């Protein structure tokens, strides 16, 4: 879809669409995970009929579309999010998002078995923990972060190993609003009992990036944390039975 309309695959249509948008523009596979295939379109030139990707460099628009057409997952274009300055301190190149795990009760209320902040490393464009990023638990009472950690691995960090920004004790801006946003979203997807939400924090508040029907539970259990409580505990018991 481009501009809310089905996209024909025409190179000139793509160049016209991209010319009207502020750069960079996020491009990623529709069904991707762990940041695979993620890139940024930083420039488009109708005269030379080229796109410039942050990772991939210059590419002819025809070659680019041939590559996309050969991907069975399809492609998503998204507006690039400008994150809150407080989170930019951890990584300026990646949008550092909250991963909010929710469970839906029979009453319609939502529980939060676990919430982490994901942080990028080095010059990476992505914050995925499974792709080398860091994570930290968010305290549901205060919004403060734990020490940072990796997964897999046992390393922990009170400060970000690249930027030096303090992780342990940092209070995430708009964390209450972020939890409320994820809860409202889940209440509109009542066929699913447990979901994971990626929520970016901007200067104006939380912004829902995507929903994940699969999440890696071991990540949430680092540093002695557990998700075996509330609805999630009951679900685990039912599945074990």
């Amino acid at each position: 879809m481009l501009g809310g309309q089905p996209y024909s695959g025409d190179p000139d249509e793509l160049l016209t669409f991209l010319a009207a948008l502020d750069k960079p523009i996020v491009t990623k596979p529709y069904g991707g995970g762990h940041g695979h295939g993620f890139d940024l379109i930083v420039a488009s030139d109708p005269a030379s009929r080229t796109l410039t990707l942050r990772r991939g460099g210059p590419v002819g628009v025809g070659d680019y579309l041939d590559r996309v057409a050969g991907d069975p997952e399809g492609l998503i274009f998204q507006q690039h999010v400008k994150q809150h300055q407080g989170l930019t301190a951890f990584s300026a190149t990646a949008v550092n998002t909250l991963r909010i795990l929710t469970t839906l009760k029979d009453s319609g209320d939502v529980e939060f078995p676990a919430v982490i902040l994901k942080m990028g490393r080095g010059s990476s464009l992505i914050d995925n923990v499974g792709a080398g990023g860091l994570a930290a638990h968010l305290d549901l009472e205060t919004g403060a972060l734990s020490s940072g950690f990796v997964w897999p691995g046992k390393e922990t960090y009170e400060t970000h190993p690249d930027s030096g920004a303090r992780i342990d004790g940092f209070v995430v801006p708009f964390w209450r609003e972020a939890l409320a946003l994820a809860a409202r979203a889940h209440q509109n997807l009542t066929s699913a009992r447990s979901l994971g939400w990626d929520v970016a924090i901007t200067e104006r508040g939380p912004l829902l990036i995507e929903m994940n029907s699969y999440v890696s539970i071991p990540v949430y259990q680092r540093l002695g944390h557990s998700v075996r409580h509330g609805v999630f505990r009951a679900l685990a018991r039912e599945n074990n039975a």
Side-chain angles (χ1 to χ4, degrees):
M1 303 289 286
L2 292 178
Q5 300 297 322
Y7 174 52
S8 67
D10 179 71
D12 292 323
E13 185 180 354
L14 177 61
L15 287 168
T16 299
F17 174 74
L18 295 178
L21 299 179
D22 293 334
K23 308 296 188 299
I25 301 164
V26 172
T27 174
K28 61 182 182 180
Y30 174 80
H34 300 289
H36 297 311
F38 184 98
D39 211 332
L40 298 176
I41 299 174
V42 295
S44 60
D45 184 4
S48 64
R49 300 176 64 77
T50 60
L51 309 176
T52 302
L53 305 174
R54 180 71 57 83
R55 283 176 167 174
V59 59
V61 66
D63 293 337
Y64 179 74
L65 289 175
D66 287 344
R67 186 191 313 165
V68 172
D71 187 339
E73 293 182 331
L75 201 69
I76 292 175
F77 293 105
Q78 290 181 330
Q79 178 184 2
H80 190 254
V81 175
K82 185 176 182 180
Q83 65 186 333
H84 193 283
Q85 188 65 33
L87 298 179
T88 301
F90 295 123
S91 172
T93 56
V95 178
N96 308 287
T97 59
L98 287 172
R99 169 64 64 82
I100 302 174
L101 183 60
T102 57
T103 49
L104 187 63
K105 301 172 65 174
D106 291 335
S107 65
D109 294 329
V110 172
E111 294 179 342
F112 305 99
V115 181
I116 59 174
L117 178 72
K118 301 181 295 174
M119 295 163 277
R121 288 290 313 271
S123 59
S124 176
L125 302 179
I126 57 177
D127 66 350
N128 301 69
V129 180
L134 297 178
H137 296 286
L138 181 133
D139 188 303
L140 296 180
E141 298 296 327
T142 66
L145 297 180
S146 69
S147 296
F149 60 87
V150 297
W151 185 87
K154 297 183 178 180
E155 296 84 0
T156 60
Y157 304 91
E158 292 189 357
T159 60
H160 195 285
D162 302 313
S163 70
R166 182 80 182 180
I167 299 174
D168 190 11
F170 176 83
V171 177
V172 176
F174 298 109
W175 63 274
R176 291 187 181 88
E177 292 84 350
L179 297 182
L181 176 60
R184 291 199 304 273
H186 197 160
Q187 287 165 338
N188 283 279
L189 287 173
T190 55
S191 61
R193 184 57 66 95
S194 178
L195 293 169
W197 307 90
D198 286 338
V199 178
I201 305 298
T202 75
E203 295 290 348
R204 299 176 61 183
L207 180 66
L208 184 60
I209 301 296
E210 66 181 28
M211 177 273 288
N212 298 269
S213 58
Y214 169 80
V215 297
S216 181
I217 294 300
V219 175
Y220 297 100
Q221 300 187 127
R222 288 282 282 112
L223 306 187
H225 283 243
S226 173
V227 298
R228 295 182 66 86
H229 49 80
V231 174
F232 211 93
R233 181 179 183 179
L235 285 171
R237 285 178 171 175
E238 290 173 12
N239 289 333
N240 287 339

